[in-house]
Amino acid sequence: RRALRDLALEFQRPSVAIVLDVPMDVARAQNLARTRTVASHVLERHYERFKAAREVLPTEGYAAIHEIGADFEIEVVRI
């Protein structure tokens, strides 16, 4: 994330964090529907890292942090 924030700073642009907060049960179901699944322990490790990163985002200097969380929001959002 730091490299992207530095790039934004270099070009005098704001850096914005977009957080797609998919509930773990949804992530598991989506994973099972994939052709190539990810091992459950890997999925859980990524989810734990996500939660830790989400805690520190407000301290990292983003101009804005947008959190998209509900299943409905994730389905309809366009970036």
Side-chain angles (χ1 to χ4, degrees), residues 24 39-51:
M24 188 58 161
S40 61
H41 73 278
V42 174
L43 193 62
E44 291 168 13
R45 183 176 65 224
H46 278 261
Y47 193 72
E48 290 303 315
R49 285 183 174 177
F50 161 73
K51 289 193 306 187

Side-chain angles (χ1 to χ4, degrees), residues 2-60:
R2 178 177 288 177
L4 292 172
R5 287 191 317 272
D6 289 346
L7 187 63
L9 185 61
E10 178 182 339
F11 287 94
Q12 300 177 355
R13 296 289 180 239
S15 58
V16 176
I18 300 173
V19 179
L20 301 176
D21 187 3
V22 178
M24 188 58 161
D25 59 331
V26 173
R28 282 189 189 107
Q30 289 175 344
N31 185 46
L32 291 174
R34 294 171 44 126
T35 304
R36 285 183 32 205
T37 61
V38 176
S40 61
H41 73 278
V42 174
L43 193 62
E44 291 168 13
R45 183 176 65 224
H46 278 261
Y47 193 72
E48 290 303 315
R49 285 183 174 177
F50 161 73
K51 289 193 306 187
R54 188 168 152 208
E55 294 285 322
V56 298
L57 280 178
T59 68
E60 293 184 354

